[in-house]
Amino acid sequence: MGATRWGICSAGKISHDFIVAVKTLPPEDHKVVSIAARDLSRAQEYAKNHGISKAYGSYEELAQDPDVDVVYVGVIHPYHLPVTLLFILAGKHVLCEKPLGMNAAEVKRMVQAAQEKKVFLMEAFWTRFFPASEKIRSLLRQRTLGDVVALHAEFGIPLLSVPRCVEKELGGGALLDIGLYCVQLACMVFPGEKPESILASGFLYKTGVDKMASVILNYSGQRQAVLTYTMAATLPNRAVICSTEGLIEIPGCFWCPTELVVNGQKEEFPLPSTSQKLNFGRTIGLSYEAEHVRQCLLQGLKESPIMSHADSELVHSILDEVRRQLGVSLAQDHA
């Protein structure tokens, strides 16, 4: 297999950052060959700025491009299901931004379609592919610090002025935008385990989406994850994994970790460098998940061993229950 040939779906801010991140990888391994947006001129602008050879004014054209191996889907949340299904049914491998679906039922539909078409599908939880996350999984697997007893994680940034984050029809809500990072971390720390109980308490914004909440996930053996998220303010944004023989601390921005403190010993994991401007912090780290997708494709895998279909279904089943307890109902829940 030569270079993995990427198609980019949507000319939004996250797509820009993903393209820049892919460019830090060896060109003989990764190549962005086409981009599609609903506005052709926007796709053409991105193509020109990033040296992409083909630009399309519809997602259907991208789906039919024979030169594309895998599509990165960066559209807003409510379009993840129809757009991802479009590419899957066209026989394309797909890396779809989180949340994979608006609810667990949508995730199941996409997973089923990918399995039927025998194509690769992964939810783009970039956190899991950072070297620091690999180190965490290694420490937990080897039980270096004994048995995990508790996880505390918090994620808060002010997003109430961002329409995409507060409007229901745009897939808004703090849980689907940032709170899910806390949930996926719990699912990584307690791998493959379904919580015995879920307790969620929080507040809604005037538009009916969730603004802030704390979630307690109780696991068997009296183990617990305590998660807090908000889009009304900035939180310290750290995570701590508490074990019988010590602590793993992720001091800041745990969703894109570049340092760990293990029992007081600090270890740094520097990011790749780029001279190009990024829209979001540390998104050069999207290169880690892009390389992981390539490795999966080289091995003929149809799902990631690190962010599996079962992982996505588990995360989204928890998100559904949190929303239910908070009283957030979406149109997609009644589809």
Side-chain angles (χ1 to χ4, degrees):
M1 181 177 173
T4 298
R5 300 171 301 174
W6 290 90
I8 307 295
C9 175
S10 149
K13 289 181 178 179
I14 193 66
S15 293
H16 164 87
D17 288 11
F18 184 80
I19 295 166
V20 172
V22 168
K23 283 183 180 173
T24 66
L25 297 166
E28 62 272 20
D29 290 347
H30 294 266
K31 185 171 176 56
V32 178
V33 296
S34 55
I35 182 166
R38 286 176 297 180
D39 175 351
L40 177 59
S41 63
R42 189 136 171 82
Q44 288 170 333
E45 178 194 345
Y46 263 55
K48 182 182 170 200
N49 290 344
H50 292 288
I52 302 168
S53 56
K54 287 179 278 189
Y56 300 118
S58 75
Y59 303 149
E60 289 77 12
E61 289 172 281
L62 178 59
Q64 297 308 316
D65 186 336
D67 296 328
V68 170
D69 299 315
V70 54
V71 178
Y72 171 78
V73 173
V75 297
I76 62 171
H77 305 165
Y79 294 106
H80 286 183
L81 175 70
V83 171
T84 296
L85 286 178
L86 169 72
F87 294 120
I88 287 173
L89 295 176
K92 301 296 184 199
H93 303 302
V94 177
L95 171 65
C96 178
E97 260 312 330
K98 55 81 204 164
L100 184 53
M102 293 295 288
N103 56 30
E106 289 196 348
V107 171
K108 281 188 168 70
R109 279 187 65 186
M110 285 181 262
V111 166
Q112 191 174 358
Q115 289 171 344
E116 286 171 2
K117 293 294 287 186
K118 296 181 171 56
V119 297
F120 178 87
L121 171 67
M122 188 180 89
E123 184 171 18
F125 266 120
W126 65 321
T127 311
R128 293 213 174 179
F129 306 98
F130 277 70
S133 294
E134 290 183 14
K135 179 67 181 280
I136 291 169
R137 286 193 297 273
S138 173
L139 290 169
L140 297 181
R141 210 170 31 243
Q142 294 164 17
R143 296 182 63 249
T144 308
L145 302 176
D147 300 317
V148 176
V149 175
L151 163 70
H152 284 216
E154 56 191 8
F155 192 167
I157 44 176
L159 293 170
L160 295 178
S161 61
V162 182
R164 178 186 66 75
C165 296
V166 296
E167 299 297 336
K168 260 194 189 184
E169 59 273 21
L170 299 181
L175 182 65
L176 287 180
D177 206 74
I178 58 177
L180 78 182
Y181 281 110
C182 298
V183 173
Q184 78 77 29
L185 182 63
C187 292
M188 187 182 92
V189 170
F190 301 103
E193 294 192 58
K194 195 173 179 181
E196 288 190 336
S197 67
I198 299 170
L199 300 167
S201 178
F203 307 102
L204 305 188
Y205 191 56
K206 59 189 176 186
T207 55
V209 301
D210 60 303
K211 178 174 77 171
M212 173 179 182
S214 288
V215 178
I216 299 175
L217 305 177
N218 288 319
Y219 292 89
S220 64
Q222 300 183 333
R223 297 164 302 145
Q224 195 174 68
V226 181
L227 317 172
T228 300
Y229 67 89
T230 179
M231 58 181 178
T234 301
L235 293 179
N237 292 334
R238 59 179 174 238
V240 184
I241 301 164
C242 313
S243 296
T244 51
E245 294 170 40
L247 298 176
I248 302 172
E249 299 172 75
I250 314 171
C253 300
F254 73 85
W255 59 95
C256 45
T258 56
E259 64 178 74
L260 296 177
V261 180
V262 181
N263 276 356
Q265 295 291 111
K266 188 159 104 170
E267 186 174 356
E268 298 192 4
F269 302 84
L271 289 165
S273 58
T274 180
S275 57
Q276 288 196 261
K277 190 172 179 294
L278 296 161
N279 292 302
F280 304 105
R282 300 187 184 176
T283 41
I284 204 69
L286 292 167
S287 58
Y288 300 130
E289 70 179 2
E291 176 57 24
H292 177 74
V293 170
R294 173 174 167 81
Q295 293 305 318
C296 287
L297 296 180
L298 287 173
Q299 294 171 54
L301 301 178
K302 298 300 181 271
E303 62 179 305
S304 161
I306 294 173
M307 189 67 216
S308 68
H309 295 162
D311 284 339
S312 289
E313 290 186 14
L314 177 58
V315 168
H316 284 267
S317 69
I318 295 170
L319 299 181
D320 282 3
E321 177 58 19
V322 170
R323 279 197 303 106
R324 188 190 71 76
Q325 291 187 26
L326 295 177
V328 178
S329 176
L330 302 171
Q332 291 83 357
D333 297 332
H334 312 288

